[in-house]
Amino acid sequence: MSTDPLDRALRIGLVSISDRASAGIYQDQGLPALQEWFGIAITSAWQMETRLIPDERSAIEQALTELVDVAKCDLVITTGGTGPSRRDVTPEATLAVASKEMPGFGEQMRQISLQFVPTAILSRQVAVIRETSDHAALILNLPGQPKSIKETLEGLKDVDGKQIVNGIFAAVPYCIDLIGGPYIETNDGVCKAFRPKSAIRNKA
């Protein structure tokens, strides 16, 4: 059994942000969509923590902080609350708990969505790193709709399965490597992780 801390299970925090779903008015779709996607996309060991909370900035900040600082998640994904309406405060809450911003993720998410709808420019998703004295995590804001979640993570492929536009998850495993998290292996048929050759482990 390996004693390398980088061989431990990846800890993922999933946060669905919706006033109506958190109040039980309708069933949340974000968490099931994320759980299903990660279940087929990640082939190495992983665990998850979930939260369903309203569109309240203080609640979002608290959930993100707890998932990173207390639950020690390596990756935290939010879904919902990234549009221009007054109740959409997920990006502000995410930036408030950040050590550094990772703007490339947000730029690529909008590029993917623009392949489908011109209103993608209204999305305000951000990505950040939150660091403590002994831990760091990547936090990503995703859209709220299951179809958009899948497209954002996987990117776009043609009818033959060739990648046309890269999804954002292709860059996540190497990002987690760089901030000291566990080594993530993926199902290449869903989303092939990209790493420099020097960072790729040989499979036993």
Side-chain angles (χ1 to χ4, degrees):
M1 186 175 181
S2 174
T3 58
D4 188 339
L6 300 186
D7 286 333
R8 65 177 173 81
L10 173 73
R11 292 191 62 81
I12 304 176
L14 305 178
V15 185
S16 185
I17 299 160
S18 168
D19 286 332
R20 289 179 291 174
S22 63
I25 297 172
Y26 68 74
Q27 190 168 359
D28 172 64
Q29 295 181 322
L31 292 177
L34 285 166
Q35 291 170 20
E36 179 181 3
W37 191 86
F38 281 113
I40 61 173
I42 297 180
T43 58
S44 50
W46 65 282
Q47 305 167 341
M48 70 177 177
E49 294 256 349
T50 62
R51 302 283 191 276
L52 177 57
I53 58 177
D55 285 284
E56 299 287 351
R57 179 168 170 172
S58 59
I60 300 168
E61 290 181 22
Q62 181 178 353
L64 297 179
T65 301
E66 288 178 354
L67 286 169
V68 177
D69 299 9
V70 181
K72 301 296 183 183
C73 290
D74 307 288
L75 173 65
V76 179
I77 306 284
T78 73
T79 174
T82 59
S85 77
R86 294 192 180 205
R87 295 292 295 169
D88 290 332
V89 294
T90 302
E92 287 73 22
T94 303
L95 291 168
V97 303
S99 303
K100 60 188 67 160
E101 190 174 358
M102 302 291 288
F105 283 103
E107 293 165 5
Q108 185 65 7
M109 282 190 265
R110 283 178 281 278
Q111 283 298 314
I112 294 166
S113 297
L114 277 167
Q115 304 293 318
F116 299 97
V117 291
T119 50
I121 59 174
L122 303 180
S123 299
R124 302 186 302 115
Q125 292 104 316
V126 301
V128 304
I129 304 292
R130 176 174 173 82
E131 299 165 317
T132 66
S133 60
D134 63 349
H135 183 65
L138 173 64
I139 304 175
L140 299 171
N141 299 157
L142 293 188
Q145 295 301 314
K147 182 176 182 290
S148 298
I149 289 171
K150 184 175 185 292
E151 291 164 352
T152 299
L153 291 168
E154 286 185 29
L156 308 177
K157 298 176 182 178
D158 63 18
V159 293
D160 297 320
K162 183 180 179 181
Q163 199 81 37
I164 301 171
V165 179
N166 285 319
I168 63 165
F169 200 78
V172 168
Y174 186 51
C175 183
I176 299 296
D177 292 349
L178 293 173
I179 62 175
Y183 192 86
I184 304 169
E185 294 181 286
T186 61
N187 177 350
D188 290 354
V190 177
C191 181
K192 182 177 175 61
F194 178 84
R195 288 180 171 94
K197 289 183 179 179
S198 61
I200 297 174
R201 288 188 184 180
N202 292 323
K203 294 185 179 181

